Amino acid sequence: MSAADVIIDVRGLTKSYDGRVVVDQVDMRVERGRIYGFLGPNGSGKTTTIRMLCGLLTPDQGEGSCLGYDIRTQARLIKREVGYMTQKFGLYDDLSIEENLDFFARVYGVPQRRQRIDGTLERLGLASRRRQLASSLSGGWKQRLALAACLIHDPQLLLLDEPTAGVDPSARRAFWDQIHELADAGMTVLVSTHYMDEAERCHELAYIAYGKLLARGTVDEVIAGARLLTWSLTGPGLAAAAPVLRAASGIRTVAPFGATLHVAADSVEAFEAALAPFNTLKAVPTPASLEDVFIALMQDAQDNFGAGAA
Ligand SMILES: Nc1ncnc2c1ncn2[C@@H]1O[C@H](COP(=O)(O)OP(=O)(O)OP(=O)(O)O)[C@@H](O)[C@H]1O
Ligand SMILES: [Mg+2]
């Protein structure tokens, strides 16, 4: 793999606000054509990290490159080749679909603007709605337009910050199909999300809490790395058992999973001791899900760094 195929390569990114560290020594490496998922609870530092990666925000410490450019000194060059979809989509409500695209095309100095806009409208299925105001669009259509706007200058890297928040399941699915098509054609995508089904659609993941990267790798690697022993519980009295199990020693997480309860423990002995008072419940060992792992990581993070954090 040549250096040109490493699209994001940063080390030790750190940022504080008002004396509080919100991104703490984050390393990240993303190769060309990969879809890299960025997960973590609200306020964990995802947006701040994304802004540092593309040169919009200068880190207090840390260094690295994005698309081969230095994130500290070559921000202007990075921005030309990055499509950044912000959490609020960043569209102009009182402009039409076509006018929004025209605006972004002008900002980026796109050559043969007219053709490029027409092609984009066609490709994204927005041609028949070109004169509709952005404000009148549903969540799914707004998202489609926002994606079109950040693709208009033919970037090499897409930074998508919670692109599917407030979008219904079928639009989310269509969106992800499109992201995979783009990646197959060589686009690199960094996407933050709170949805597990979306995390599972990424080639690689990173999980951040309290500004610290706690896990990274493929879905299988992240699950294996957590070393959770997990059981699925069913039977009468499940709801009453949950808080008692949660408080038992050696129990990592207790989470409802449909009509069952997923319980993760440090050891078989700890699990058996915690379950002993509940003879109406049936326990079946089950592979840990990504959600089990993220819940466990978040709880460990609360125990380790949470005290004193805002
Ligand atoms: N400009 C700022 N000034 C002060 N504090 C900030 C600023 N930007 C972010 N923060 C704080 O930094 C922390 C990390 O915020 P950030 O927006 O990066 O989190 P996030 O992971 O993107 O959260 P969410 O999932 O809610 O979008 C939060 O506590 C936030 O309040
Ligand atoms: Mg955010």
Side-chain angles (χ1 to χ4, degrees):
M1 168 129 324
S2 79
D5 289 325
V6 180
I7 298 300
I8 295 173
D9 192 10
V10 294
R11 291 161 302 276
L13 290 189
T14 299
K15 186 77 191 174
S16 298
Y17 285 117
D18 311 320
R20 189 165 62 90
V21 181
V22 301
V23 174
D24 195 356
Q25 298 287 335
V26 165
D27 300 343
M28 199 178 268
R29 188 183 151 96
V30 182
E31 289 164 7
R32 185 183 300 279
R34 303 292 272 179
I35 302 175
Y36 198 94
F38 199 15
L39 285 103
N42 291 127
S44 55
K46 299 180 297 295
T47 298
T48 306
T49 302
I50 290 171
R51 289 167 58 83
M52 289 193 280
L53 289 175
C54 64
L56 275 176
L57 185 67
T58 307
D60 298 337
Q61 290 169 41
E63 54 179 21
S65 65
C66 180
L67 293 157
Y69 302 118
D70 187 298
I71 57 166
R72 287 181 175 276
T73 59
Q74 297 182 298
R76 213 166 43 84
L77 295 168
I78 296 173
K79 278 177 226 164
R80 297 189 72 85
E81 293 180 39
V82 169
Y84 178 26
M85 190 162 153
T86 62
Q87 260 175 291
K88 297 214 164 87
F89 293 169
L91 296 170
Y92 292 91
D93 272 355
D94 49 356
L95 296 184
S96 69
I97 290 176
E98 186 169 18
E99 287 164 341
N100 263 288
L101 290 179
D102 188 62
F103 173 84
F104 287 101
R106 284 171 195 269
V107 166
Y108 285 106
V110 171
Q112 295 174 312
R113 205 168 68 239
R114 192 66 263 156
Q115 262 165 280
R116 183 85 197 160
I117 292 170
D118 286 344
T120 303
L121 287 167
E122 210 57 60
R123 191 153 45 89
L124 295 176
L126 290 164
S128 62
R129 294 166 176 254
R130 64 202 303 154
R131 298 196 210 296
Q132 204 171 321
L133 287 186
S135 59
S136 70
L137 295 173
S138 68
W141 283 101
K142 271 193 184 149
Q143 175 207 42
R144 226 182 251 218
L145 174 58
L147 182 63
C150 64
L151 288 170
I152 197 86
H153 59 301
D154 206 11
Q156 293 196 53
L157 169 65
L158 278 183
L159 300 175
L160 308 175
D161 200 356
E162 294 187 37
T164 60
V167 170
D168 72 36
S170 77
R172 289 210 286 137
R173 177 167 297 227
F175 182 83
W176 272 89
D177 288 346
Q178 205 184 357
I179 296 304
H180 272 274
E181 275 170 33
L182 288 163
D184 287 345
M187 181 76 80
T188 308
V189 182
L190 178 79
V191 53
S192 77
T193 176
H194 289 289
Y195 297 111
M196 289 306 126
D197 60 319
E198 297 190 347
E200 282 167 357
R201 286 173 151 239
C202 295
H203 298 125
E204 273 173 84
L205 301 172
Y207 184 87
I208 188 171
Y210 296 100
K212 291 185 205 292
L213 267 199
L214 301 181
R216 91 185 103 200
T218 62
V219 172
D220 289 345
E221 286 166 355
V222 168
I223 291 175
R227 296 176 197 283
L228 281 186
L229 294 169
T230 310
W231 289 263
S232 175
L233 299 190
T234 49
L238 210 51
V244 182
L245 290 171
R246 202 168 276 134
S249 86
I251 298 297
R252 300 280 300 279
T253 70
V254 176
F257 224 79
T260 73
L261 203 60
H262 267 206
V263 177
D266 289 329
S267 68
V268 176
E269 293 72 27
F271 175 73
E272 285 175 349
L275 192 69
F278 303 103
N279 54 19
T280 57
L281 298 183
K282 182 167 177 277
V284 178
T286 181
S289 69
L290 200 54
E291 187 161 3
D292 293 324
V293 169
F294 289 153
I295 293 170
L297 287 172
M298 190 171 71
Q299 285 178 358
D300 291 350
Q302 269 164 359
D303 295 344
N304 291 330
F305 326 116

PDB file of all heavy atoms in Angstrom, residues 126-138:
ATOM      1  N   LEU A 126     -33.069  13.910  -8.737  1.00  0.00           N
ATOM      2  CA  LEU A 126     -33.634  15.182  -8.274  1.00  0.00           C
ATOM      3  C   LEU A 126     -34.086  16.075  -9.434  1.00  0.00           C
ATOM      4  O   LEU A 126     -34.595  17.164  -9.210  1.00  0.00           O
ATOM      5  CB  LEU A 126     -32.599  15.949  -7.438  1.00  0.00           C
ATOM      6  CG  LEU A 126     -32.250  15.368  -6.058  1.00  0.00           C
ATOM      7  CD1 LEU A 126     -30.957  15.984  -5.526  1.00  0.00           C
ATOM      8  CD2 LEU A 126     -33.383  15.612  -5.064  1.00  0.00           C
ATOM      9  N   ALA A 127     -33.925  15.600 -10.674  1.00  0.00           N
ATOM     10  CA  ALA A 127     -34.170  16.472 -11.840  1.00  0.00           C
ATOM     11  C   ALA A 127     -35.597  17.017 -11.864  1.00  0.00           C
ATOM     12  O   ALA A 127     -35.813  18.204 -12.104  1.00  0.00           O
ATOM     13  CB  ALA A 127     -33.850  15.724 -13.127  1.00  0.00           C
ATOM     14  N   SER A 128     -36.576  16.184 -11.568  1.00  0.00           N
ATOM     15  CA  SER A 128     -37.965  16.629 -11.667  1.00  0.00           C
ATOM     16  C   SER A 128     -38.324  17.610 -10.554  1.00  0.00           C
ATOM     17  O   SER A 128     -39.340  18.284 -10.606  1.00  0.00           O
ATOM     18  CB  SER A 128     -38.903  15.426 -11.623  1.00  0.00           C
ATOM     19  OG  SER A 128     -38.741  14.775 -10.388  1.00  0.00           O
ATOM     20  N   ARG A 129     -37.506  17.681  -9.539  1.00  0.00           N
ATOM     21  CA  ARG A 129     -37.792  18.569  -8.404  1.00  0.00           C
ATOM     22  C   ARG A 129     -36.857  19.763  -8.366  1.00  0.00           C
ATOM     23  O   ARG A 129     -36.770  20.439  -7.347  1.00  0.00           O
ATOM     24  CB  ARG A 129     -37.596  17.799  -7.093  1.00  0.00           C
ATOM     25  CG  ARG A 129     -38.570  16.683  -6.892  1.00  0.00           C
ATOM     26  CD  ARG A 129     -38.075  15.786  -5.774  1.00  0.00           C
ATOM     27  NE  ARG A 129     -39.027  14.740  -5.480  1.00  0.00           N
ATOM     28  CZ  ARG A 129     -39.801  14.735  -4.396  1.00  0.00           C
ATOM     29  NH1 ARG A 129     -39.719  15.688  -3.510  1.00  0.00           N
ATOM     30  NH2 ARG A 129     -40.656  13.756  -4.205  1.00  0.00           N
ATOM     31  N   ARG A 130     -36.162  20.020  -9.460  1.00  0.00           N
ATOM     32  CA  ARG A 130     -35.079  21.013  -9.420  1.00  0.00           C
ATOM     33  C   ARG A 130     -35.499  22.387  -8.937  1.00  0.00           C
ATOM     34  O   ARG A 130     -34.723  23.088  -8.310  1.00  0.00           O
ATOM     35  CB  ARG A 130     -34.383  21.105 -10.785  1.00  0.00           C
ATOM     36  CG  ARG A 130     -35.282  21.594 -11.900  1.00  0.00           C
ATOM     37  CD  ARG A 130     -34.745  21.172 -13.266  1.00  0.00           C
ATOM     38  NE  ARG A 130     -33.391  21.639 -13.497  1.00  0.00           N
ATOM     39  CZ  ARG A 130     -32.527  21.025 -14.321  1.00  0.00           C
ATOM     40  NH1 ARG A 130     -32.886  19.930 -14.969  1.00  0.00           N
ATOM     41  NH2 ARG A 130     -31.340  21.524 -14.496  1.00  0.00           N
ATOM     42  N   ARG A 131     -36.769  22.790  -9.197  1.00  0.00           N
ATOM     43  CA  ARG A 131     -37.181  24.144  -8.804  1.00  0.00           C
ATOM     44  C   ARG A 131     -37.845  24.207  -7.427  1.00  0.00           C
ATOM     45  O   ARG A 131     -38.284  25.253  -6.980  1.00  0.00           O
ATOM     46  CB  ARG A 131     -38.114  24.741  -9.860  1.00  0.00           C
ATOM     47  CG  ARG A 131     -37.399  24.867 -11.176  1.00  0.00           C
ATOM     48  CD  ARG A 131     -38.042  25.759 -12.193  1.00  0.00           C
ATOM     49  NE  ARG A 131     -37.737  25.278 -13.526  1.00  0.00           N
ATOM     50  CZ  ARG A 131     -36.511  25.234 -14.064  1.00  0.00           C
ATOM     51  NH1 ARG A 131     -35.481  25.673 -13.385  1.00  0.00           N
ATOM     52  NH2 ARG A 131     -36.316  24.744 -15.267  1.00  0.00           N
ATOM     53  N   GLN A 132     -37.930  23.085  -6.775  1.00  0.00           N
ATOM     54  CA  GLN A 132     -38.550  23.052  -5.445  1.00  0.00           C
ATOM     55  C   GLN A 132     -37.596  23.680  -4.408  1.00  0.00           C
ATOM     56  O   GLN A 132     -36.385  23.456  -4.453  1.00  0.00           O
ATOM     57  CB  GLN A 132     -38.787  21.591  -5.085  1.00  0.00           C
ATOM     58  CG  GLN A 132     -39.878  21.383  -4.076  1.00  0.00           C
ATOM     59  CD  GLN A 132     -40.194  19.883  -3.943  1.00  0.00           C
ATOM     60  OE1 GLN A 132     -40.204  19.133  -4.923  1.00  0.00           O
ATOM     61  NE2 GLN A 132     -40.439  19.467  -2.718  1.00  0.00           N
ATOM     62  N   LEU A 133     -38.166  24.450  -3.461  1.00  0.00           N
ATOM     63  CA  LEU A 133     -37.326  25.070  -2.433  1.00  0.00           C
ATOM     64  C   LEU A 133     -36.810  24.001  -1.462  1.00  0.00           C
ATOM     65  O   LEU A 133     -37.541  23.071  -1.101  1.00  0.00           O
ATOM     66  CB  LEU A 133     -38.122  26.095  -1.624  1.00  0.00           C
ATOM     67  CG  LEU A 133     -38.476  27.419  -2.305  1.00  0.00           C
ATOM     68  CD1 LEU A 133     -39.126  28.371  -1.298  1.00  0.00           C
ATOM     69  CD2 LEU A 133     -37.243  28.072  -2.941  1.00  0.00           C
ATOM     70  N   ALA A 134     -35.579  24.178  -1.039  1.00  0.00           N
ATOM     71  CA  ALA A 134     -34.985  23.211  -0.106  1.00  0.00           C
ATOM     72  C   ALA A 134     -35.834  23.078   1.157  1.00  0.00           C
ATOM     73  O   ALA A 134     -35.984  21.987   1.702  1.00  0.00           O
ATOM     74  CB  ALA A 134     -33.561  23.620   0.239  1.00  0.00           C
ATOM     75  N   SER A 135     -36.421  24.206   1.607  1.00  0.00           N
ATOM     76  CA  SER A 135     -37.205  24.176   2.853  1.00  0.00           C
ATOM     77  C   SER A 135     -38.428  23.270   2.746  1.00  0.00           C
ATOM     78  O   SER A 135     -38.922  22.785   3.761  1.00  0.00           O
ATOM     79  CB  SER A 135     -37.662  25.591   3.221  1.00  0.00           C
ATOM     80  OG  SER A 135     -38.445  26.112   2.165  1.00  0.00           O
ATOM     81  N   SER A 136     -38.918  23.032   1.523  1.00  0.00           N
ATOM     82  CA  SER A 136     -40.140  22.243   1.379  1.00  0.00           C
ATOM     83  C   SER A 136     -39.854  20.749   1.261  1.00  0.00           C
ATOM     84  O   SER A 136     -40.771  19.949   1.115  1.00  0.00           O
ATOM     85  CB  SER A 136     -40.914  22.711   0.134  1.00  0.00           C
ATOM     86  OG  SER A 136     -40.197  22.317  -1.027  1.00  0.00           O
ATOM     87  N   LEU A 137     -38.587  20.369   1.316  1.00  0.00           N
ATOM     88  CA  LEU A 137     -38.243  18.952   1.124  1.00  0.00           C
ATOM     89  C   LEU A 137     -38.387  18.162   2.426  1.00  0.00           C
ATOM     90  O   LEU A 137     -38.153  18.689   3.510  1.00  0.00           O
ATOM     91  CB  LEU A 137     -36.795  18.831   0.641  1.00  0.00           C
ATOM     92  CG  LEU A 137     -36.485  19.415  -0.732  1.00  0.00           C
ATOM     93  CD1 LEU A 137     -34.985  19.377  -0.984  1.00  0.00           C
ATOM     94  CD2 LEU A 137     -37.222  18.655  -1.816  1.00  0.00           C
ATOM     95  N   SER A 138     -38.721  16.874   2.280  1.00  0.00           N
ATOM     96  CA  SER A 138     -38.749  15.985   3.451  1.00  0.00           C
ATOM     97  C   SER A 138     -37.301  15.689   3.868  1.00  0.00           C
ATOM     98  O   SER A 138     -36.363  15.973   3.121  1.00  0.00           O
ATOM     99  CB  SER A 138     -39.437  14.678   3.077  1.00  0.00           C
ATOM    100  OG  SER A 138     -38.615  13.979   2.164  1.00  0.00           O
TER     101      SER A 138
END
